[in-house]
Amino acid sequence: MRRNTGYIGRFAPSPSGPLHFGSLVAATASFLDARHHHGKWLLRMEDLDPAREPPEAAGQILAALELHGLHWDGPVLFQSRRLDAYADALKTLEIQQRLFACTCSRQQIQADGGVYDGRCRFRKLSHAGAALRVRVEDTVITFDDRIQGSQSQSLERDCGDFVLLRKDGLFAYQLAVVVDDAEQGITDIVRGSDLLDSTARQKFLQGLLQLPAPRYAHVPVAVNARGQKLSKQHFARPLDLAQVVPSLLLALDFLGQRPEPALISGSAQEVLLWGAEHWDIQAVPKLANIRLDDIA
Ligand code: GLU
Ligand code: ZN
């Protein structure tokens, strides 16, 4: 293992339901990468959308992480308590004349092929009841993902101006995640590959807000037998909390690590200690190569 290089990692669940296998994989990967580097592992609850968050879910997630031996450092950061910081970031972008109000519907944008064409940029619409979008540039954003390799995306071509404040007044994930990764001093982001596509947007915002650029590693996302991502929407069953060690071993398998079979009779703590010592990010596959027919 390397000595502490100032590594700070994090797990940032949205409390839309209890922990399921897909989120356990992301949590375990970020935990093991942090511990392998003798780094810190912070926890952030991304609770910005109350309508999608059963009130008990955050507590259930924290309890399930503890049961799996995934102990975090320091206090949990709740995004619901950080609204002033997001408003400040918007103010900074407003001063840069980067923001504009938009009243286009999702259906309209889908009908245009899903990439927003910037049609409201110069309409000077009232902010009331409108979404706020950030104007992107016609440049290509590139980065080296530690698992997925070299990535590049043109925001203008592939994504378009994107929403930072929703019509309903809620701050968008893309804004909050960037502000908080900086606030928590995150050096290394290890998360599911369903967010690979968001990374260019986040790097773009980091640039505008003059925030440090973390490293990224996107682990494969657990899919069910129909190839759908495991998430509450697809009715992934919550983890069986009586099966903590088998779940952790399955997560290690899924991440391309080769846990010793004898670990099955050990504790969660022992599995994670083994996992941190032997963590090999090179062995993590780019795509899910296990189908979890029995879990979804
Ligand atoms: N809250 C996001 C999710 O649960 C993850 C955010 C991130 O890791 O950047 O999908
Ligand atoms: Zn518009």
Side-chain angles (χ1 to χ4, degrees), residues 10 12-14 46 173 177 191 194-195:
R10 49 67 157 186
S14 305
E46 301 211 320
Y173 157 70
V177 72
R191 62 185 178 189
D194 53 317
L195 294 166

Side-chain angles (χ1 to χ4, degrees), residues 63-244:
L65 289 171
E66 299 233 274
L67 263 177
H68 285 83
L70 294 162
H71 302 297
W72 56 91
D73 297 305
V76 178
L77 187 75
F78 288 86
Q79 289 197 322
S80 55
R81 299 180 196 160
R82 300 263 307 140
L83 306 186
D84 289 349
Y86 311 140
D88 283 349
L90 277 188
K91 225 171 280 160
T92 303
L93 297 170
E94 178 79 59
I95 291 167
Q96 296 176 15
Q97 301 189 321
R98 274 281 158 192
L99 301 183
F100 64 90
C102 163
T103 50
C104 299
S105 69
R106 192 183 295 247
Q107 290 85 326
Q108 246 172 302
I109 297 166
Q110 283 310 329
D112 291 348
V115 176
Y116 182 70
D117 66 2
R119 65 180 63 182
C120 296
R121 273 186 184 185
F122 305 107
R123 287 174 70 195
K124 302 241 179 291
L125 296 168
S126 147
H127 287 198
L132 286 186
R133 290 180 184 269
V134 62
R135 181 168 46 80
V136 301
E137 300 279 329
D138 179 22
T139 50
V140 175
I141 301 213
T142 59
F143 64 99
D144 255 312
D145 188 275
R146 294 168 60 209
I147 295 169
Q148 306 294 332
S150 109
Q151 305 292 316
S152 69
Q153 192 180 64
S154 155
L155 287 181
E156 187 150 281
R157 200 188 55 221
D158 303 332
C159 157
D161 304 330
F162 55 99
V163 171
L164 298 185
L165 184 70
R166 292 165 29 175
K167 268 183 203 163
D168 56 12
L170 297 182
F171 292 104
Y173 157 70
Q174 305 293 355
L175 178 72
V177 72
V178 158
V179 170
D180 286 344
D181 282 332
E183 166 72 18
Q184 293 185 290
I186 304 301
T187 62
D188 286 85
I189 293 172
V190 179
R191 62 185 178 189
S193 59
D194 53 317
L195 294 166
L196 184 59
D197 188 56
S198 290
T199 308
R201 273 169 276 175
Q202 294 171 18
K203 289 186 71 67
F204 176 67
L205 289 180
Q206 286 156 2
L208 294 179
L209 295 168
Q210 295 188 287
L211 302 174
R215 282 180 293 267
Y216 290 91
H218 286 86
V219 303
V221 162
V223 292
N224 66 16
R226 273 176 292 160
Q228 296 163 319
K229 180 195 167 198
L230 284 193
S231 66
K232 219 182 90 237
Q233 287 80 349
H234 294 130
F235 308 105
R237 274 198 259 122
L239 287 165
D240 181 347
L241 298 180
Q243 298 288 328
V244 162

